[in-house]
Amino acid sequence: MKKNSYGIEQLIAHRDPMILITELTAYDDNHAQGTVCVTAESPFMSEKGVPSYVGIEYMAQMVAAYAGAKALDNGGTIDIGFLLGSRKYKTHTPYFKAAQNLVISVEELHKEESGLGVFDCKIKYNDELLAEAKVNVFQPDDPQGFIKGQ
């Protein structure tokens, strides 16, 4: 995998305070890896930590960062995409804790010309699997037209 040279703000359409991932660290044609540095100031932080169901959004944002890096590499622009859902989102912890540097990995399993895609996603901390899912996404050719129903 090659090292990423883009800031996260360059790769995804989200803006603060909803940028939840810290960085995309490496990617290739079918895989990407990045981090989420959980802090006391992290969005969704409670006294117990960030609820593990937020992990689905960490995964979706890593997929978006991967798509963004590939688009920029090919001279394209960053477009919005949609998280359609997941199959078998499974967590092995109830909370992500402050001071954890989570590693998010995504692997593209299937992509259609229509913009539909499926990714195998994992969240780990110190090589311990904390969450996993198959994530379904959609990135239409004309996202604004899609939103407006055109």
Side-chain angles (χ1 to χ4, degrees):
M1 285 203 267
K2 63 181 176 178
K3 295 282 186 182
N4 174 44
S5 60
Y6 303 108
I8 202 64
E9 297 84 6
Q10 295 174 276
L11 298 176
I12 63 176
H14 294 72
R15 292 295 164 249
D16 278 330
M18 287 309 297
I19 296 176
L20 304 184
I21 60 176
T22 306
E23 69 178 322
L24 175 69
T25 54
Y27 62 98
D28 61 23
D29 289 339
N30 296 321
H31 303 85
Q33 186 170 296
T35 60
V36 173
C37 297
V38 182
T39 69
E41 291 78 36
S42 291
F44 307 105
M45 179 59 79
S46 71
E47 63 185 40
K48 294 182 180 181
V50 175
S52 60
Y53 59 77
V54 175
I56 194 73
E57 183 63 19
Y58 293 164
M59 293 171 178
Q61 287 192 21
M62 196 58 64
V63 169
Y66 164 72
K70 287 178 63 174
L72 292 178
D73 285 350
N74 294 316
T77 59
I78 304 304
D79 289 321
I80 62 171
F82 303 94
L83 170 62
L84 297 180
S86 69
R87 287 180 279 153
K88 300 180 182 177
Y89 181 69
K90 186 173 183 179
T91 63
H92 306 284
T93 185
Y95 294 94
F96 303 123
K97 306 289 186 182
Q100 285 184 325
N101 289 318
L102 306 175
V103 175
I104 317 298
S105 62
V106 300
E107 177 184 4
E108 187 175 61
L109 300 176
H110 179 77
K111 185 174 183 181
E112 296 181 9
E113 286 186 31
S114 66
L116 290 170
V118 179
F119 287 80
D120 182 42
C121 303
K122 293 179 175 46
I123 300 175
K124 293 183 177 182
Y125 174 65
N126 289 340
D127 292 324
E128 178 186 355
L129 184 63
L130 300 182
E132 56 189 313
K134 301 286 190 285
V135 174
N136 303 314
V137 297
F138 178 54
Q139 188 173 34
D141 288 335
D142 179 13
Q144 296 301 326
F146 180 80
I147 292 171
K148 295 175 183 176
Q150 300 173 347

